[in-house]
Amino acid sequence: GAGVSQSPSNKVTEKGKDVELRCDPISGHTALYWYRQSLGQGLEFLIYFQGNSAPDKSGLPSDRFSAERTGGSVSTLTIQRTQQEDSAVYLCASSSVVVGSPLHFGNGTRLTVT
Amino acid sequence: GENVEQHPSTLSVQEGDSAVIKCTYSDSASNYFPWYKQELGKGPQLIIDIRSNVGEKKDQRIAVTLNKTAKHFSLHITETQPEDSAVYFCAASAGNQFYFGTGTSLTVIP
């Protein structure tokens, strides 16, 4: 497809379980971002990947959160030992290498921790 | 780091009226300012953007203005329609990092 694809679109998990969220960026986009959006709130930056550079992990809220990007394309955000406060929409965005290019967002994964 | 403030948080207008959303930023290094529209259950979608070498940009009913000296930028929607109802986010960017405002929930009353 032409846009950013995220899966699953919805995920319900029990507290304490691990979850993996997937992001397929737009082909050719070297920059990839993860954001978290709690109900009715703004966009909280989590992590940023740019090409083969070390990722900017400065937004990850705890060591239970991690992300990887394999082959410079698909990214996976992993949350270990989920807590109820992790419930949110997790948005992925990608952009081209050109500075000042806009972010293109996927429709997000809605995570509910029961 | 950059700090982006957005006002108002909620806005209701009558169909056909104009809507204005304002943002301020703190880092003079920011040079790219996109605006996003987010409909329920969807990701934010880019609607217009402006770079720091431009003071105003217009696309049909939507316009954005930028005052670099005051570090203000605004979104203007004219002749509002019910389908304009959504949450709007401003952002400021320097390099590859983006800083978002907290969003404005716009309701257009038919």
Side-chain angles (χ1 to χ4, degrees):
Chain A
V4 176
S5 178
Q6 290 189 246
S7 61
S9 54
N10 282 283
K11 176 73 177 177
V12 180
T13 190
E14 292 181 352
K15 176 181 172 181
K17 295 284 178 71
D18 297 353
V19 294
E20 284 190 354
L21 313 180
R22 176 187 168 105
C23 173
D24 253 301
I26 292 172
S27 178
H29 280 188
T30 60
L32 187 147
Y33 303 72
W34 284 97
Y35 289 86
R36 178 167 71 175
Q37 187 174 35
S38 300
L39 188 63
Q41 300 298 307
L43 300 166
E44 176 189 5
F45 168 75
L46 297 178
I47 189 168
Y48 159 63
F49 296 89
Q50 173 61 279
N52 295 321
S53 302
D56 176 355
K57 304 179 182 181
S58 60
L60 294 178
S62 78
D63 58 9
R64 295 187 296 104
F65 288 71
S66 63
E68 62 178 22
R69 189 178 185 192
T70 53
S73 181
V74 171
S75 177
T76 302
L77 177 69
T78 301
I79 309 173
Q80 296 179 307
R81 304 181 302 282
T82 51
Q83 304 295 312
Q84 287 187 330
E85 60 262 29
D86 299 335
S87 296
V89 174
Y90 290 81
L91 291 163
C92 174
S94 69
S95 74
S96 77
V97 67
V98 177
V99 173
S101 294
L103 299 183
H104 298 265
F105 285 88
N107 284 329
T109 293
R110 179 174 296 280
L111 175 66
T112 304
V113 182
T114 61
Chain B
E2 174 66 277
N3 180 44
V4 178
E5 295 191 357
Q6 182 172 347
H7 300 280
S9 56
T10 60
L11 179 60
S12 291
V13 298
Q14 290 291 137
E15 182 178 356
D17 287 351
S18 295
V20 180
I21 302 170
K22 298 182 178 182
C23 289
T24 62
Y25 62 100
S26 60
D27 187 351
S28 56
S30 290
N31 56 11
Y32 174 62
F33 306 90
W35 285 88
Y36 289 86
K37 175 184 181 182
Q38 186 176 28
E39 296 175 322
L40 202 60
K42 303 234 176 125
Q45 299 296 308
L46 178 75
I47 54 170
I48 196 168
D49 56 8
I50 192 168
R51 288 175 171 76
S52 59
N53 59 346
V54 176
E56 184 173 358
K57 183 176 178 181
K58 189 173 182 181
D59 182 3
Q60 299 182 18
R61 297 185 297 106
I62 294 173
V64 57
T65 58
L66 171 65
N67 183 329
K68 283 191 299 182
T69 303
K71 297 192 182 69
H72 289 174
F73 58 115
S74 300
L75 178 71
H76 304 252
I77 307 173
T78 59
E79 301 172 26
T80 53
Q81 301 168 3
E83 52 265 37
D84 295 330
S85 296
V87 178
Y88 291 81
F89 291 96
C90 63
S93 176
N96 288 314
Q97 195 53 276
F98 288 77
Y99 301 88
F100 287 86
T102 49
T104 296
S105 178
L106 173 65
T107 301
V108 179
I109 304 165

